[in-house]
């Protein structure tokens, strides 16, 4: 046997080993452990605010840490920073490229970032001495579109890309500090762990991966989905995460058990999921769908607890505030809605 | 996960023509060795931990319990009628 064949055989054996180890840990199901859990009842939320101002499809939104401001990105070529309490536009930032796919708010509130088909992550300073908003850094280097970005702090940002990699950047120097390689399809989404030491990525290779931010290593790979993963979100404890996919399901994966614990699906849900987010306790999982709705799932009992209906086109993005007070949905209908 | 949905000849990003099938096979085997070696907790234990977390944090979760009218920053502004 050639050395190449030996390596391939070893790979197959290791895959079988992993499957066996996961099966051995699979001594029950989340559904049965949660069977005696009190149901949460029907979740009925109302639209409290509608944010109007974008002139084209909204592709991304991200809450600021103050649970009041948020940034949204639209293919009208603008980033808008909103005060969600008053619905006022705090900043309307014209972009160099209108093909934006993601945006992020820095935890400090001093910066926002965005990127898309230009393959570049652009950082904007909101608190300049002159009082205007300007590009403070451009981070070129990805060879595919920017699908997602998240700040660790004012000087570090993690990005995911259609070039199948993720990257950690030093914003000051504009350099890639770490590259995260291993996915075999476009990486569509990322979610930082609450302790910021790891992050999860979801990709078109139907797998999610857990990465160590410092050393760049892929620690674990989670198969299960049958099509592109479009969205990932950490469970608030940091021990699990949810995914949303074109296969019309959301799933819950546990990191310490290294496997899928739950699937959120229904026979009459046949469209893809674009975005996912947990409520503050993790009990509710919000998922945005191509069929214009946002479903609210009881994450533990795996039942649909409610629906947020109100958009006239695909729900492309959503997010829950850090204080857990509200959920925001953004849509191709050009509006953002705040619900609680 | 292990079924590569892209064309078999697609190389890893950063790969040059000098990156051989051997390099790819070595990297994949090493990564799998790494992933196979981790300790896994039982589902019974981790499921209980997740449920315990949800229950513990439930009082702080406005979207589950409902906002109190006295503290809902998104309470709809009451409209005034100008006579």
């Amino acid at each position: 046997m050639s050395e190449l064949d030996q390596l391939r055989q070893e790979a197959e054996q290791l895959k079988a080993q992993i499957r066996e180890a996961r099966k051995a840990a699979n001594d029950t199901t989340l559904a049965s452990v949660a069977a005696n859990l009190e149901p949460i009842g029907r979740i009925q939320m109302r639209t409290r605010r509608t944010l109007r101002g974008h002139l084209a499809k909204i592709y991304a939104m991200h809450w600021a840490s103050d649970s009041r401001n948020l940034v949204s990105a639209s293919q009208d070529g603008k980033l808008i920073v909103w005060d969600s309490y008053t619905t006022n536009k705090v900043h309307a930032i014209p972009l160099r490229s209108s093909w934006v796919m993601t945006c992020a708010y820095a935890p400090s509130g001093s910066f926002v970032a965005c990127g898309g088909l230009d393959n570049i992550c652009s950082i904007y300073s909101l608190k300049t001495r002159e009082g205007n908003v300007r590009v403070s850094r451009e981070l070129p280097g990805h060879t595919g579109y920017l699908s997602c970005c998240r700040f660790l702090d004012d000087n570090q940002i993690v990005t995911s890309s259609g070039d199948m990699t993720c990257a950690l950047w030093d914003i000051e120097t504009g350099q890639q500090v770490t590259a995260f390689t291993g996915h075999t399809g476009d990486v569509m989404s990322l979610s930082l762990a609450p302790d910021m030491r790891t992050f999860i990525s979801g990709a078109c290779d139907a797998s999610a991966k857990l990465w160590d931010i410092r050393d760049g290593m892929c620690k674990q790979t989670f198969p299960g989905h049958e099509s592109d993963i479009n969205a990932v979100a950490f469970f608030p404890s940091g021990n699990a995460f949810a995914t949303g996919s074109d296969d019309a399901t959301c799933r819950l994966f546990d990191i310490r058990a290294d496997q899928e614990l739950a699937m959120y699906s229904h026979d009459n849900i046949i469209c893809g999921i674009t975005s996912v987010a947990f409520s503050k306790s993790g009990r509710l999982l919000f998922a945005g769908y191509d069929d214009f709705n946002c479903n609210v799932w009881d994450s533990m009992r795996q039942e649909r607890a409610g629906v947020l209906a109100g958009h006239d086109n695909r729900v492309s993005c959503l997010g829950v505030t850090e204080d857990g007070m509200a959920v925001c949905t953004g849509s191709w209908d050009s509006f953002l809605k705040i619900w609680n | 996960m292990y079924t590569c949905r892209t064309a078999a000849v697609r190389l890893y990003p950063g790969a040059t023509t000098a990156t051989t099938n051997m390099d790819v096979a070595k990297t994949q085997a090493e990564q799998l060795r790494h992933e196979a070696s981790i300790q896994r907790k039982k589902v019974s234990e981790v499921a209980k931990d997740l449920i315990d977390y949800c229950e513990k944090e439930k009082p702080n979760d406005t979207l589950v319990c409902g906002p109190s009218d006295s503290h809902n920053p998104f309470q709809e502004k009451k409209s005034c009628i100008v006579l």
Side-chain angles (χ1 to χ4, degrees):
Chain A
M1 202 189 287
S2 72
E3 199 186 336
L4 183 60
D5 288 330
Q6 278 179 332
L7 278 171
R8 286 183 176 160
Q9 190 179 68
E10 189 190 349
E12 290 309 310
Q13 283 163 352
L14 288 163
K15 288 178 201 173
Q17 208 179 303
I18 292 171
R19 272 194 299 271
E20 285 309 307
R22 283 174 171 155
K23 232 168 42 177
N26 196 11
D27 60 343
T28 183
T29 63
L30 176 63
S32 45
V33 178
N36 293 326
L37 195 55
E38 182 101 22
I40 42 177
R42 189 116 199 101
I43 298 284
Q44 282 170 314
M45 295 188 196
R46 296 176 38 193
T47 303
R48 302 290 181 179
R49 301 284 189 275
T50 299
L51 306 181
R52 297 166 217 274
H54 279 301
L55 303 173
K57 294 174 175 170
I58 291 169
Y59 274 79
M61 63 76 50
H62 193 216
W63 283 102
S65 306
D66 65 8
S67 299
R68 175 172 180 159
N69 283 359
L70 64 95
V71 63
S72 60
S74 162
Q75 292 208 339
D76 63 6
K78 290 238 172 22
L79 280 188
I80 299 182
V81 176
W82 307 83
D83 176 335
S84 65
Y85 289 5
T86 63
T87 74
N88 289 341
K89 298 174 191 48
V90 181
H91 302 289
I93 307 167
L95 303 175
R96 290 179 187 179
S97 161
S98 67
W99 304 111
V100 63
M101 296 174 67
T102 181
C103 60
Y105 222 119
S108 68
S110 301
F111 298 91
V112 291
C114 69
L117 294 182
D118 59 354
N119 301 358
I120 296 172
C121 183
S122 300
I123 313 289
Y124 291 82
S125 172
L126 300 181
K127 312 218 165 143
T128 61
R129 244 184 329 195
E130 299 78 37
N132 59 341
V133 175
R134 56 169 179 76
V135 178
S136 67
R137 189 70 75 222
E138 283 185 335
L139 307 173
H142 277 301
T143 55
Y145 59 85
L146 206 83
S147 53
C148 194
C149 57
R150 286 291 179 259
F151 284 91
L152 290 175
D153 56 44
D154 282 355
N155 196 44
Q156 299 181 96
I157 192 165
V158 184
T159 57
S160 63
S161 171
D163 67 10
M164 307 196 291
T165 74
C166 299
L168 169 69
W169 304 78
D170 179 310
I171 295 174
E172 173 84 35
T173 63
Q175 298 300 311
Q176 263 192 34
V177 170
T178 313
F180 304 90
T181 59
H183 274 300
T184 54
D186 300 12
V187 188
M188 300 305 293
S189 180
L190 72 95
S191 177
L192 299 178
D195 69 4
M196 304 265 210
R197 282 155 57 171
T198 60
F199 71 94
I200 289 282
S201 62
C204 292
D205 59 13
S207 78
K209 283 178 180 285
L210 174 73
W211 305 89
D212 183 307
I213 290 184
R214 291 303 141 212
D215 66 23
M217 295 286 297
C218 170
K219 292 160 63 125
Q220 287 164 248
T221 301
F222 300 84
H225 273 295
E226 293 168 11
S227 186
D228 302 359
I229 294 175
N230 296 317
V232 292
F234 256 97
F235 186 84
S237 71
N239 286 330
F241 63 93
T243 52
S245 165
D246 276 349
D247 69 8
T249 72
C250 297
R251 295 178 200 224
L252 181 72
F253 293 87
D254 189 282
I255 289 170
R256 296 177 304 167
D258 188 42
Q259 60 190 278
E260 182 181 317
L261 290 193
M263 180 158 72
Y264 310 95
S265 67
H266 197 280
D267 287 341
N268 55 23
I269 298 176
I270 54 169
C271 64
I273 290 97
T274 61
S275 41
V276 290
F278 282 103
S279 69
K280 194 158 166 67
S281 68
R283 185 66 188 270
L284 300 181
L285 175 66
F286 296 91
Y289 291 73
D290 287 345
D291 70 0
F292 310 177
N293 286 325
C294 172
N295 284 323
V296 187
W297 295 92
D298 177 334
S299 65
M300 297 295 108
R301 290 174 57 89
Q302 296 163 224
E303 296 162 343
R304 196 158 36 161
V307 178
L308 306 180
H311 283 292
D312 295 326
N313 207 323
R314 175 183 291 197
V315 175
S316 54
C317 52
L318 56 84
V320 174
T321 56
E322 215 164 277
D323 65 8
M325 269 293 164
V327 56
C328 175
T329 52
S331 167
W332 279 11
D333 68 9
S334 82
F335 302 119
L336 296 140
K337 287 179 183 286
I338 316 283
W339 312 74
N340 70 13
Chain B
M1 160 195 95
Y2 299 112
T3 306
C4 181
R5 289 161 171 274
T6 53
V9 296
R10 196 170 187 185
L11 298 176
Y12 284 95
T16 63
T17 49
T19 306
T20 61
N21 286 336
M22 269 300 282
D23 294 324
V24 172
K26 272 188 192 158
T27 308
Q28 194 189 33
E30 187 170 324
Q31 177 62 32
L32 285 167
R33 261 178 246 134
H34 191 73
E35 292 185 18
S37 70
I38 65 161
Q39 297 296 324
R40 291 169 182 82
K41 285 196 181 267
K42 295 253 193 280
V43 171
S44 52
E45 182 185 342
V46 301
K48 185 175 176 307
D49 283 352
L50 290 176
I51 289 168
D52 286 349
Y53 187 90
C54 287
E55 288 294 276
K56 189 174 117 232
E57 296 296 319
K58 187 167 159 184
N60 301 326
D61 192 342
T62 320
L63 297 176
V64 172
C65 303
S68 65
D69 276 340
S70 57
H71 179 58
N72 179 5
F74 296 105
Q75 182 62 37
E76 279 136 351
K77 303 169 254 205
K78 311 237 183 289
S79 54
C80 300
I81 303 168
V82 179
L83 296 168

